[in-house]
Amino acid sequence: MKVYSHERLERLAAERGMPAEYLHELRVVSSVLPFKVNQYVVDELVDWSAVPDDPIFRLTFPHRDMLPPDVFETLSALHLAAASPGVIRKAARAAHALLNPNPGAQVDANVPFHEGIPLAGVQHKYAETVLVFPSQGQTCHSYCGYCFRWSQFVGNADIRQAASDVSRLVSYLAASPSVTDVLFTGGDPMIMSATVLERWVNPLLAPELEHVRTIRFGTKALSYWPARFTTDQDADDMLRLFDRIVSGGRHVAVMAHFSHVRELEHPEVGEAIRRIRATGAVIRAQAPVIAHVNDRAEDWSAMWQRLVELGVVPYYMFVERDTGARNYFGVPLTRALRIYTDSVRGVSGLARSARGPVMSAAPGKVLIDAVTDIGGTEVFSLRLLQARDARQVGRQFFAHHDPAAEWFDDLRPALGSWWPR
């Protein structure tokens, strides 16, 4: 797999005819946020005749508006002055702190303690589900510019999450009988070899962890490198691992990230999906609605329809989180709701399994149900699909309708407090 990042990404853009002004912007933005593409993305997904407006190009290549204007200008001046790499790195780290590197209280509230010690590289926000960030899987085949986990990829250990000790994870799970699901995330666990991933998975199949019923794998590999499940050297080994988990009585959920229907058009994607499903694993698809890439109802209708045809379950339409390049990719909640509503109107009931638009905010997964009128006041009708406080799951609440709001923190309660404390 040939990959392009840093200087190689700039050379690639130059070879593809991008102007000098853009190459400067690429240098500036990629000195703060992470960018990487592979040959499959470059050759099979990007339509170079439509660049820079091509949605996959917008998804994977830098744009100056991904940084706040003052941050861009500061880093631009340093690059134009040929500042040393150390000076640029220092300025980039200062910028990282301004871009909310760990949104939704991921580190402050999600990291559990076991025997009085924080469990590094693990998150436990919801009672039933534990997230694991294996240290060997904290990269991806290519990066999405909108990724809310960008802080995993910028080489800053102070904001990176990584687990290296599976024995402590097993001990924690053994003491947590409410946990039914373990989600391997990152990064992308499919970047790991089957042998390395097996070392993480096998201990979870022990009899003492019988309460762990589902093993999930969050991955973009089906979009960015479907060969992971078809022709890679250990593709068969990876599928045998899925099969063994299923044969042992557990459920395997492949949480696939598809941002645009074009990612489903290559024949190898269909073959990869077929091979995964043959193991008994279920593939569920999710992505945020993001400006410049998939902010049209027809994008989602086409994608959901194609997913159903391929045997994949549409799962979530998320709202772009308040982190990283959110200023570039964010969509107002009112517009996100309209996109979702128009999207489901364009598909049959089988494709309407996707829930959305959903904000993964600090309190939990907040579904935007509608904009409605209560006593002459226009409000967002909201509902908690999942909650940090399990007692709040299913609770409906209301926020003043702010047409400019893009995130939960932009909203204010319409009828007293959000919910009883």
Side-chain angles (χ1 to χ4, degrees):
M1 180 175 61
K2 187 175 183 179
V3 298
Y4 302 88
S5 61
H6 304 295
E7 292 82 6
R8 294 188 69 188
L9 187 65
E10 183 181 346
R11 287 200 297 272
L12 170 67
E15 291 167 2
R16 296 288 174 148
M18 300 304 292
E21 180 182 5
Y22 175 78
L23 300 179
H24 172 69
E25 293 177 5
L26 182 153
R27 283 193 297 274
V28 173
V29 178
S30 63
S31 65
V32 178
L33 294 171
F35 292 90
K36 179 174 76 173
V37 295
N38 62 40
Q39 197 68 47
Y40 177 84
V41 174
V42 171
D43 291 343
E44 305 296 340
L45 297 185
V46 175
D47 178 359
W48 289 95
S49 69
V51 168
D53 295 325
D54 175 71
I56 306 301
F57 181 85
R58 292 294 195 198
L59 175 65
T60 54
F61 278 75
H63 188 284
R64 65 177 294 149
D65 292 341
M66 291 179 180
L67 296 179
D70 56 337
V71 172
F72 180 87
E73 294 302 333
T74 297
L75 270 296
S76 175
L78 292 175
H79 280 272
L80 290 172
S84 70
V87 169
I88 291 174
R89 278 195 301 270
K90 183 177 179 180
R93 291 208 171 192
H96 293 160
L98 300 174
L99 298 177
N100 193 19
N102 286 301
Q106 289 187 79
V107 174
D108 297 339
N110 292 4
V111 176
F113 281 71
H114 183 53
E115 298 175 342
I117 302 172
L119 199 55
V122 174
Q123 292 187 23
H124 192 180
K125 179 178 181 179
Y126 306 128
E128 305 84 4
T129 306
V130 163
L131 277 62
V132 183
F133 297 73
S135 58
Q136 303 95 328
Q138 298 316 302
T139 185
C140 297
H141 296 95
S142 290
Y143 294 150
C144 299
Y146 66 72
C147 186
F148 78 97
R149 293 258 169 80
W150 60 268
S151 59
Q152 295 293 100
F153 315 133
V154 293
N156 187 341
D158 294 337
I159 56 177
R160 186 173 183 264
Q161 301 169 75
S164 57
D165 188 350
V166 70
S167 63
R168 288 201 72 217
L169 169 66
V170 169
S171 179
Y172 177 74
L173 292 173
S176 307
S178 67
V179 175
T180 60
D181 292 41
V182 171
L183 167 60
F184 288 99
T185 186
D188 191 328
M190 292 300 112
I191 205 78
M192 296 189 285
S193 70
T195 300
V196 171
L197 184 58
E198 198 168 28
R199 291 203 293 266
W200 283 93
V201 170
N202 280 348
L204 307 189
L205 308 181
E208 60 267 28
L209 297 185
E210 182 66 22
H211 56 285
V212 177
R213 304 307 306 158
T214 297
I215 309 295
R216 304 189 202 180
F217 301 100
T219 182
K220 186 81 178 179
L222 281 167
S223 298
Y224 285 162
W225 191 249
R228 185 69 193 90
F229 306 103
T230 57
T231 58
D232 269 7
Q233 184 175 1
D234 65 344
D236 291 345
D237 294 332
M238 184 66 74
L239 295 172
R240 277 191 286 268
L241 174 60
F242 290 178
D243 182 78
R244 186 161 58 82
I245 300 170
V246 173
S247 298
R250 314 291 177 93
H251 176 55
V252 172
V254 176
M255 315 305 292
H257 295 251
F258 289 105
S259 306
H260 195 274
V261 68
R262 191 183 304 162
E263 297 169 334
L264 294 161
E265 292 173 351
H266 196 283
E268 193 165 12
V269 179
E271 176 62 10
I273 289 172
R274 186 197 65 77
R275 299 192 85 211
I276 291 171
R277 294 182 67 223
T279 70
V282 174
I283 307 171
R284 292 174 171 84
Q286 58 192 22
V289 55
I290 47 177
H292 313 292
V293 176
N294 62 17
D295 55 340
R296 303 183 308 158
E298 51 264 44
D299 294 331
W300 288 86
S301 294
M303 183 167 67
W304 287 338
Q305 178 61 35
R306 185 58 182 147
L307 286 168
V308 169
E309 292 168 3
L310 291 169
V312 178
V313 181
Y315 190 49
Y316 276 123
M317 174 197 278
F318 284 115
V319 173
E320 171 65 352
R321 287 197 180 189
D322 56 335
T323 183
R326 178 260 185 108
N327 288 341
Y328 181 69
F329 288 114
V331 172
L333 301 180
T334 300
R335 184 159 178 249
L337 177 62
R338 185 168 62 251
I339 292 169
Y340 176 81
T341 303
D342 290 346
S343 298
V344 296
R345 286 175 179 152
V347 294
S348 74
L350 291 178
R352 295 183 183 186
S353 54
R355 292 168 290 183
V358 172
M359 296 178 282
S360 285
K365 287 187 171 68
V366 180
L367 174 69
I368 307 166
D369 263 330
V371 174
T372 190
D373 184 279
I374 297 181
T377 300
E378 198 171 44
V379 299
F380 284 114
S381 176
L382 308 170
R383 183 158 47 95
L384 278 167
L385 294 179
Q386 182 60 286
R388 188 184 299 279
D389 177 357
R391 296 170 299 177
Q392 306 300 337
V393 172
R395 181 176 290 279
Q396 188 174 19
F397 57 106
F398 304 94
H400 285 281
H401 178 230
D402 178 355
E406 294 187 0
W407 188 247
F408 183 78
D409 293 344
D410 299 333
L411 303 175
R412 56 191 178 92
L415 305 173
S417 62
W418 288 131
W419 48 76
R421 301 299 177 182

